[in-house]
């Protein structure tokens, strides 16, 4: 009797337990596993990747104080300026251009063709060929490229500039990649009496063969006095103006002046800037460089950093002896070069 009672109690417990287990299994069968949440967008890196800048943006044009893409959206290009072609011409190579695109994530490269100081005026064929090599490489890689008449007294060389840019416009006028920078850095000369007449003459030659591509005009006092231009701009389409700065020397006062010029309706392009002092050397001013980057980002102003060179000075991006074929390890990149390269990659990340 005792054994039968014990057996019955055990049987009831087993039935109850099995029933509970059955309910749990049935619930597990009808309730699916919740889907994994999608990966959130990285808020610190919201910039889209651009593998081919020219395919992405197309024919650029100036509208008001902005540079727009073919789809009428503001465009900001970023990249590197090569050094004076006659002094450090070894980086005017297809390999360098490709590496700037693939590794440094540049969307812009600038060929700074020296004019005097044993440059184009003395060796026109050799210096011109360096530019052609860079421009052809940029076109092959889908980069925008600045053809820079790197001169401080271009008004003394007007005829040579007209002939040079006429040839460049005939060669590249059908390529949306090309930007003409017709006067790098005028000295402290008159805008209305010297720089503007020179620019009008050179632009007229370009427009005979290329009605579309952007022309960038230097401004007085080492391309800093952009306000004088804003009060008396050049008539015509697709014209922008040069703003240059060196972060440790040119600070908030120049940003304020640039903002006033923008407010008056002219478009600016920073075709050259340095992270150090105006001498090209001195200390690396990280704080002011980042303040400038924010200003340029806020206003969608394109920029090229000075310089892709291995000269022993603060603004040079490479250490002496760095290869002319790219593929530089970080050990061959200077502190300035690392700062700029990091910014380029952050603003145009790899997919």
């Amino acid at each position: 009797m005792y054994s039968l009672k014990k057996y019955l109690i055990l049987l009831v417990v087993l039935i109850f337990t099995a029933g509970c287990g059955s309910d749990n299994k049935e619930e597990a069968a009808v309730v699916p596993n919740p889907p994994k949440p999608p990966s959130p967008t990285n808020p610190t890196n919201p910039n889209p990747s651009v593998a081919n800048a020219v395919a992405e943006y197309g024919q650029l044009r100036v509208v008001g104080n902005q540079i727009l893409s073919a789809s009428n959206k503001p465009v900001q290009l970023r990249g590197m300026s090569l050094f004076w072609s006659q002094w450090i011409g070894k980086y005017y190579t297809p390999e360098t251009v490709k590496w700037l695109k693939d590794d440094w994530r540049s969307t812009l490269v600038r060929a700074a063709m020296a004019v005097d100081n044993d440059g184009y005026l003395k060796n026109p064929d050799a210096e011109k060929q360096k530019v052609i090599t860079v421009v052809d490489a940029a076109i092959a890689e889908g980069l925008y490229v600045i053809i820079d008449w790197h001169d401080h007294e271009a008004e003394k060389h007007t005829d040579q500039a007209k002939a040079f840019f006429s040839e460049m416009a005939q060669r590249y006028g059908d390529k949306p990649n090309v930007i003409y920078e017709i006067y790098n850095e005028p000295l402290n000369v008159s805008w209305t009496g010297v720089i503007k007449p020179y620019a009008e003459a050179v632009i007229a030659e370009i427009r005979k063969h290329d009605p579309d591509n952007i022309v960038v005009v230097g401004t007085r006092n080492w391309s800093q006095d952009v306000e004088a231009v804003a009060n008396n701009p050049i008539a015509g389409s697709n014209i922008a103006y040069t703003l240059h700065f060196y972060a440790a020397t040119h600070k908030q006062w120049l940003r304020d002046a640039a903002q006033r010029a923008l407010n008056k309706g002219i478009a600016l392009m920073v075709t050259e800037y340095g992270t150090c002092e105006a001498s090209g050397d001195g200390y690396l001013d990280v704080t002011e460089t980042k303040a400038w980057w924010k200003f340029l980002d806020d206003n969608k102003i394109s920029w090229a950093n000075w310089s892709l060179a291995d000269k022993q000075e603060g603004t040079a991006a490479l250490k002496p002896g760095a290869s002319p074929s790219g593929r530089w390890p970080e050990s061959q990149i200077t502190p300035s070069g690392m700062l700029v390269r990091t910014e380029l990659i952050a603003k145009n990340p790899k997919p």
Side-chain angles (χ1 to χ4, degrees):
M1 185 73 179
Y2 176 79
S3 297
L4 180 60
K5 181 178 179 181
K6 182 177 181 181
Y7 172 78
L8 291 173
I9 292 171
L10 179 61
L11 182 62
V12 170
V13 170
L14 288 172
I15 292 171
F16 178 78
T17 304
C20 292
S22 175
D23 289 344
N24 288 341
K25 288 178 182 178
E26 183 177 351
E27 181 179 349
V30 298
V31 178
N33 292 326
K36 293 181 179 180
S39 300
T41 301
N42 184 350
T44 64
N45 194 12
N47 303 291
S49 176
V50 174
N52 184 310
V54 176
E56 182 76 17
Y57 304 129
Q59 181 69 59
L60 303 180
R61 61 196 185 98
V62 176
V63 178
N65 65 0
Q66 290 192 315
I67 293 174
L68 303 183
S69 69
S71 57
N72 294 319
K73 296 180 180 179
V75 171
Q76 185 182 17
L77 306 173
R78 303 178 184 88
M80 297 298 298
S81 174
L82 303 177
F83 199 75
W84 294 75
S85 60
Q86 89 286 33
W87 286 328
I88 305 182
K90 63 182 178 179
Y91 297 110
Y92 284 65
T93 67
E95 295 83 3
T96 290
V97 173
K98 180 173 175 55
W99 191 247
L100 286 175
K101 173 195 172 183
D102 292 344
D103 185 71
W104 289 47
R105 305 297 295 168
S106 295
T107 54
L108 176 69
V109 64
R110 179 186 188 231
M113 188 190 73
V115 176
D116 51 11
N117 298 305
D118 294 331
Y120 177 81
L121 298 179
K122 184 175 182 180
N123 300 297
D125 292 339
E127 298 309 312
K128 180 171 62 179
Q129 185 56 52
K130 293 173 187 176
V131 172
I132 291 171
T133 297
V134 170
V135 174
D136 288 349
I139 292 170
E141 297 297 333
L143 296 179
Y144 291 94
V145 56
I146 297 173
I147 299 175
D148 166 34
W149 185 262
H150 206 73
D151 195 354
H152 295 305
E153 297 180 302
E155 68 276 3
K156 296 181 179 180
H157 314 127
T158 302
D159 290 341
Q160 294 93 330
K162 288 166 61 178
F164 172 79
F165 281 108
S166 176
E167 182 180 346
M168 292 298 103
Q170 290 178 69
R171 180 184 286 266
Y172 297 116
D174 62 339
K175 301 294 190 294
N177 309 67
V178 171
I179 299 167
Y180 307 101
E181 183 180 4
I182 62 174
Y183 197 158
N184 166 51
E185 284 182 346
L187 302 179
N188 191 17
V189 296
S190 168
W191 165 253
T192 56
V194 177
I195 305 168
K196 186 179 180 183
Y198 161 86
E200 290 170 333
V202 176
I203 291 171
E205 290 299 314
I206 292 172
R207 293 301 185 225
K208 289 178 181 179
H209 312 288
D210 183 349
D212 300 317
N213 284 328
I214 291 175
V215 177
V216 185
V217 180
T219 56
R220 60 185 296 276
N221 196 25
W222 307 88
S223 285
Q224 292 167 36
D225 190 0
V226 290
E227 286 189 273
V229 172
N231 294 327
N232 186 11
I234 296 170
S237 61
N238 295 331
I239 299 172
Y241 300 92
T242 309
L243 172 66
H244 286 179
F245 68 85
Y246 283 76
T249 302
H250 310 116
K251 302 187 179 185
Q252 188 61 48
W253 61 269
L254 187 53
R255 291 192 289 272
D256 291 341
Q259 187 63 64
R260 290 191 294 269
L262 289 169
N263 293 345
K264 291 180 180 179
I266 65 168
L268 300 177
M269 182 176 285
V270 174
T271 59
E272 175 183 321
Y273 78 91
T275 59
C276 301
E277 298 172 9
S279 64
D281 211 351
Y283 74 99
L284 177 64
D285 196 329
V286 176
T287 299
E288 281 296 319
T289 298
K290 290 183 176 181
W292 270 107
W293 281 338
K294 183 180 185 306
F295 174 80
L296 300 178
D297 287 350
D298 289 346
N299 289 283
K300 289 288 186 181
I301 298 174
S302 298
W303 55 255
N305 174 249
W306 183 266
S307 65
L308 203 286
D310 65 346
K311 185 180 179 182
Q312 189 73 51
E313 69 177 11
T315 54
L318 303 175
K319 294 180 181 179
S323 168
S325 300
R327 300 191 175 279
W328 309 296
E330 292 187 0
S331 62
Q332 290 186 344
I333 303 175
T334 66
S336 178
M338 287 298 298
L339 179 68
V340 175
R341 178 175 176 267
T342 299
E343 178 73 2
L344 286 168
I345 293 172
K347 294 298 169 65
N348 185 23
K350 291 184 178 181

